[in-house]
């Protein structure tokens, strides 16, 4: 799991990951060449500057991961999970609506799968038809008012 997350991070952030690796190489080579003589005059100062910049980059890299990347990933994960749950609920409601319409319009229909013919007949709905669901807002003791297909789909 950790290896997978690291690979995903590297793919998404190739440039900063490359600079991180370069910084590690510079720091390692600096420590390995401390006892060696300078190749040219002032080389130690230039190499020391690269070393200091590399250390600073690694510190900033760790700050980015802990303060930006990880919290953003958690927030994105939570958002994806919430959207996924909401989409599943919407699909379930749509299925229930289609099943209810199929029970009304298709003779002898039982189940949740539809053939092409059944779907095409469902798509040719007459929105003024009444469904077998009472509209509680408009029904009185004397007058039973049923939803039209249009109103019922809107409520669903």
């Amino acid at each position: 799991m950790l290896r997978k997350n690291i690979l995903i991070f590297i793919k998404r952030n190739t440039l900063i990951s490359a600079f991180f690796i370069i910084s590690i190489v510079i720091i390692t080579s600096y420590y390995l060449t401390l006892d060696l003589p300078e190749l040219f005059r002032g080389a130690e100062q230039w190499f020391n500057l690269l070393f200091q910049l590399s250390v600073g980059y690694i510190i900033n890299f760790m700050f980015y991961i802990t303060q930006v990347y990880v919290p953003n990933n958690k927030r994105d994960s939570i958002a994806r999970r919430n959207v996924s749950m909401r989409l599943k609920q919407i699909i379930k409601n749509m299925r229930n609506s289609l099943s209810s319409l199929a029970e009304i319009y298709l003779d002898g229909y039982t189940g949740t799968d539809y053939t092409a013919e059944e779907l095409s007949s469902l798509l040719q709905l007459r929105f003024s038809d009444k469904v077998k669901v009472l509209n509680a807002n408009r029904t009185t003791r004397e007058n039973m008012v049923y939803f039209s297909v249009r109103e019922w789909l809107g409520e669903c």
Side-chain angles (χ1 to χ4, degrees):
M1 179 77 171
L2 181 63
R3 179 177 284 172
K4 180 182 174 185
N5 289 340
I6 291 172
L7 290 175
I8 290 171
F9 175 82
I10 290 172
K11 284 182 182 180
R12 288 183 183 168
N13 303 288
T14 52
L15 189 61
I16 65 173
S17 298
F19 281 127
F20 176 75
I21 292 170
I22 291 169
S23 295
I24 298 241
V25 168
I26 290 172
I27 290 171
T28 305
S29 64
Y30 181 79
Y31 278 117
L32 293 176
T33 60
L34 277 176
D35 297 336
L36 298 177
E38 289 185 33
L39 294 176
F40 58 91
R41 191 173 148 136
E44 168 62 28
Q45 292 172 340
W46 283 105
F47 206 32
N48 188 15
L49 176 66
L50 281 175
F51 170 77
Q52 297 298 326
L53 289 173
S54 296
V55 168
Y57 184 82
I58 289 175
I59 290 169
N60 285 315
F61 182 82
M62 292 186 316
F63 177 81
Y64 170 76
I65 288 174
T66 59
Q67 299 299 315
V68 176
Y69 184 76
V70 170
N72 283 350
N73 261 5
K74 284 183 181 179
R75 185 178 59 244
D76 291 348
S77 172
I78 291 169
R80 272 193 300 276
R81 194 171 349 125
N82 288 339
V83 167
S84 173
M85 287 179 3
R86 184 67 180 140
L87 283 175
K88 286 177 184 175
Q89 185 64 37
I90 289 170
I91 290 169
K92 179 182 172 192
N93 289 341
M94 290 172 68
R95 258 186 218 280
N96 290 341
S97 298
L98 275 176
S99 294
S100 297
L101 286 174
E103 289 172 5
I104 295 169
Y105 282 99
L106 302 175
D107 293 329
Y109 176 78
T110 56
T112 58
D113 294 331
Y114 307 97
T115 64
E117 296 84 26
E118 290 173 337
L119 279 177
S120 67
S121 67
L122 280 178
L123 293 177
Q124 297 172 358
L125 296 175
R126 292 176 304 278
F127 289 112
S128 59
D129 284 352
K130 299 293 182 185
V131 294
K132 299 174 188 173
V133 178
L134 285 174
N135 186 340
N137 293 331
R138 296 187 298 171
T139 298
T140 61
R141 287 185 186 198
E142 299 83 31
N143 187 20
M144 300 295 215
V145 178
Y146 292 94
F147 280 106
S148 69
V149 171
R150 179 185 311 276
E151 295 168 338
W152 186 71
L153 286 174
E155 290 294 320
C156 289

